Amino acid sequence: MGHPGTGRGGLMRPKGRGVDGDALGEVVALLGDRPLRRDLLIEHLHLIQDRYHHIGARHLAALAELLCIPMAEAYEVATFYAHFDVVKEGEVPPPPLTVRVCDSLSCAMAGSAALHVELADAVGAGVRVVRAPCMGRCQSAPTAEVGHRHVDHADVAKVRAAIDAGATEPAIPAYQGFDAYGAAGGYRLLRACLEGARDRESIIKVVEASGLRGLGGAGFPTGRKWRFVLAEPAPRLLAVNADEGEPGTFKDRHFLESDPHRFLEGMLIAAWVIEAPDVYVFLRDEYPAARHILEHEIARLRTAGLEQGTTIHLRRGAGAYICGEESAMLESLEGKRGEPRHKPPFPAQVGLFGRPTLINNVETLFWIRDLVEKGAAWFPGQGRNGRKGLRTFSVSGRVKEPGVKIAPAGITARELIDEFCGGMAPGHRFKAYLPGGASGGILPASKADIPLDFGTLEAHGCFIGSAAVVVLSDQDSVPAAAVNLLRFFEDESCGQCTPCRVGCEKAVKLMTDGPWNAGLLRELGQAMRDASICGLGQAAPNPIASVLDHFSEDIR
């Protein structure tokens, strides 16, 4: 009798399921000459998903074999991300075409729930309709996505037309390409840096003096962060957070789809300042048009020799809001489940692949060229109501003209609506607003004269975060809006820590099963704030507290 680990003829082989030879060949053909590295697991999973519209067990086993990782490890990563359809042996694969209907707050207010039901009845065989979290197109609510093609202000007829036309690839918007950007003075600053006409210290001093802060939501002073990372031993890395999944937020997509090179130049200047040999851009999978643009324009940079000393790696998210948290993003970039890390150490010390890592978001880097070329006094001279700088507000909801609004920091919600959005939508009276997206809380219209900036909203139980302003009217239920937000957090919790995983679920149950128990909801919220690992669980109770504090008369 042979050894349990031997096959016919006594040859040693791994125990467990064998790898299908045909599947192995198919995956090898898909990968082509791409490196077989562990950190590229998610990129390779995307290739399988895009080709076969699902990830079967045989292909997953083949990929695990090629990457020399356990099948269980590949499986746990693939099943963590919403955009991977993992199909076990014997299960029926999903239809070849998926239509996603956004159910986050702005789209819900525009009737996405009814659209989801209507589409489920209207599409034919070979198509499935699923609900999806925010797609970053809140100004065009409701939004649907047919394959990788978004349908704005969606209705059944528009979605059916896209399906019938086979329009499943992203529509690429008009944008300022490499030649036009260069003709307008673009990359002069980067070239000056690369040629030695500028020194690192002078660039950092301008950024520090400008008062620029991280505009992804945390608001940490940008120049100080650069200095911290530069003080760490080389090699240092730069990771760009382009995973703006906060419901109501779409400013980064606007920049990437209209003026990508201003962002790319700022990114390469930051990489030059900290002497980073590699830059990793983590782009959310909900932005396929931006991905197409970046792939094309980064190739132009390489041809022009502007990637000098730095290699740009464009990485694709896979549908996980938690990866907007910086350490979860680093885990995903390493090809793992996007679960936040415990801190300290902080990414500036031990970040991507264990190296000191600078993390900036798209909007922060977008402003770098203007700050340096216009001087340190320009940016802080733009504020209002005693505040300094510019902010990019993503405005959606019940306003006449939603969209991206570049406005002075410190502008109030009332001023933003009246001066930049054409006022409220016809037939709607201003009732409430979210100053900072799903996690930033909800305030009544009576508090719409508070300057919108870092540090101005905390006394009212809110914060500005990524400056995603969602406007509600007298035709909206604020408690219902809070339930929508908590359902989002329930879906998007990574599940790593009990306070967040269980807390979000219990909060939704308490809010929907009967009259709100204010004492119990406040106690639950405090436990989540005190004990959750990351900002998702810590901020998830904010909408509940806002309703209890400001809209208790609306609770039924």
Side-chain angles (χ1 to χ4, degrees):
M1 185 173 179
H3 188 276
T6 61
R8 234 174 250 176
L11 296 176
M12 293 294 297
R13 63 172 178 77
K15 296 172 65 177
R17 182 186 297 117
V19 175
D20 181 283
D22 290 340
L24 188 64
E26 290 163 357
V27 174
V28 167
L30 270 180
L31 297 185
D33 59 358
R34 294 174 177 85
L36 297 176
R37 296 203 314 266
R38 172 66 181 77
D39 62 290
L40 292 173
L41 172 60
I42 294 170
E43 292 293 303
H44 297 339
L45 287 170
H46 273 301
L47 294 174
I48 299 172
Q49 176 72 37
D50 287 346
R51 170 64 179 83
Y52 296 101
H53 310 295
H54 68 278
I55 299 173
R58 53 198 291 273
H59 287 137
L60 190 60
L63 181 59
E65 174 90 356
L66 289 169
L67 296 182
C68 298
I69 61 175
M71 172 66 170
E73 190 173 333
Y75 179 82
E76 72 168 8
V77 172
T79 53
F80 180 85
Y81 295 94
H83 290 185
F84 295 142
D85 295 304
V86 180
V87 177
K88 298 178 182 178
E89 287 185 3
E91 290 184 342
V92 178
L97 180 62
T98 295
V99 175
R100 291 183 167 89
V101 180
C102 178
D103 67 354
S104 289
L105 183 56
S106 298
C107 284
M109 292 162 61
S112 65
L115 176 62
H116 182 276
V117 173
E118 293 166 5
L119 281 173
D121 293 334
V123 298
V127 181
R128 65 170 174 169
V129 180
V130 299
R131 65 184 187 92
C134 187
M135 299 179 187
R137 309 185 75 85
C138 316
Q139 83 282 16
S140 305
T143 294
E145 186 181 22
V146 179
H148 294 303
R149 189 181 193 88
H150 288 101
V151 179
D152 293 333
H153 302 295
D155 57 27
V156 173
K158 288 181 179 179
V159 173
R160 282 286 336 175
I163 295 172
D164 293 342
T168 59
E169 293 303 311
I172 310 303
Y175 66 92
Q176 187 176 52
F178 179 81
D179 292 334
Y181 182 75
Y187 291 113
R188 283 187 305 196
L189 177 58
L190 176 62
R191 285 191 170 95
C193 293
L194 296 175
E195 293 166 2
R198 294 271 189 170
D199 64 273
R200 290 175 173 80
E201 182 62 23
S202 67
I203 298 290
I204 293 177
K205 284 183 175 178
V206 171
V207 175
E208 287 177 327
S210 73
L212 180 68
R213 300 173 69 169
L215 298 174
F220 192 86
T222 303
R224 192 187 309 172
K225 182 185 281 190
W226 288 14
R227 201 177 285 284
F228 283 163
V229 176
L230 187 58
E232 296 294 324
R236 296 172 284 271
L237 303 176
L238 170 59
V240 178
N241 192 338
D243 192 65
E244 58 171 2
E246 182 79 5
T249 312
F250 46 92
K251 60 186 177 64
D252 289 351
R253 179 182 63 79
H254 168 78
F255 290 134
L256 294 173
E257 292 183 355
S258 61
D259 196 1
H261 285 284
R262 194 172 301 267
F263 151 68
L264 289 170
E265 183 171 13
M267 179 187 77
L268 288 172
I269 290 169
W272 173 80
V273 166
I274 67 164
E275 302 174 331
D278 292 280
V279 175
Y280 292 81
V281 182
F282 187 85
L283 180 68
R284 68 185 310 222
D285 198 34
E286 289 83 353
Y287 289 174
R291 185 172 69 252
H292 174 93
I293 290 169
L294 287 176
E295 287 172 346
H296 184 269
E297 299 306 316
I298 289 171
R300 293 296 308 275
L301 285 179
R302 289 182 181 137
T303 303
L306 290 171
E307 205 184 25
Q308 190 179 126
T310 301
T311 302
I312 302 172
H313 308 268
L314 180 60
R315 294 291 181 85
R316 181 177 172 185
Y321 165 74
I322 189 61
C323 290
E325 196 277 336
E326 61 178 12
S327 65
M329 178 189 71
L330 297 180
E331 290 289 292
S332 193
L333 282 169
E334 293 179 1
K336 304 172 186 173
R337 295 163 60 93
E339 295 178 337
R341 299 174 179 176
H342 290 274
K343 302 172 187 175
F346 294 94
Q349 301 164 307
V350 181
L352 187 60
F353 307 123
R355 302 307 312 163
T357 304
L358 171 64
I359 301 176
N360 282 144
N361 99 304
V362 170
E363 186 191 358
T364 304
L365 297 170
F366 180 88
W367 290 114
I368 297 301
R369 175 192 163 193
D370 285 328
L371 290 183
V372 178
E373 291 185 344
K374 295 180 180 179
W378 168 74
F379 193 75
Q382 306 299 312
R384 185 183 291 191
N385 296 319
R387 313 302 295 183
K388 297 180 180 181
L390 291 170
R391 291 303 304 265
T392 306
F393 295 91
S394 306
V395 187
S396 62
R398 308 300 190 181
V399 294
K400 189 179 294 183
E401 300 168 7
V404 169
K405 315 292 178 180
I406 298 178
I411 194 171
T412 68
R414 199 177 309 278
E415 292 168 338
L416 186 65
I417 293 169
D418 292 342
E419 297 176 31
F420 287 81
C421 302
M424 293 294 291
H428 291 268
R429 181 171 57 84
F430 185 24
K431 178 177 182 176
Y433 69 104
L434 283 67
S439 56
I442 311 172
L443 289 172
S446 61
K447 294 184 179 293
D449 297 312
I450 303 168
L452 297 175
D453 199 12
F454 296 112
T456 61
L457 296 158
E458 283 76 0
H460 305 277
C462 297
F463 57 84
I464 191 169
S466 59
V469 178
V470 183
V471 179
L472 282 68
S473 79
D474 56 335
Q475 298 183 30
D476 299 308
S477 164
V478 180
V483 172
N484 177 282
L485 301 176
L486 263 294
R487 282 190 171 127
F488 169 80
F489 291 127
E490 179 186 16
D491 285 346
E492 296 298 330
S493 173
C494 75
Q496 181 181 187
C497 69
T498 302
C500 177
R501 180 185 69 249
V502 177
C504 289
E505 177 189 353
K506 294 303 180 186
V508 170
K509 188 172 181 62
L510 288 170
M511 297 164 77
T512 56
D513 277 3
W516 286 30
N517 184 327
L520 188 55
L521 282 167
R522 288 192 188 276
E523 182 181 354
L524 175 61
Q526 193 60 53
M528 293 172 67
R529 292 189 186 93
D530 291 343
S532 294
I533 290 174
C534 81
L536 192 158
Q538 294 162 11
N542 288 345
I544 303 173
S546 295
V547 174
L548 296 174
D549 291 342
H550 305 297
F551 303 95
S552 58
E553 70 280 1
D554 292 351
I555 301 173
R556 295 194 179 99

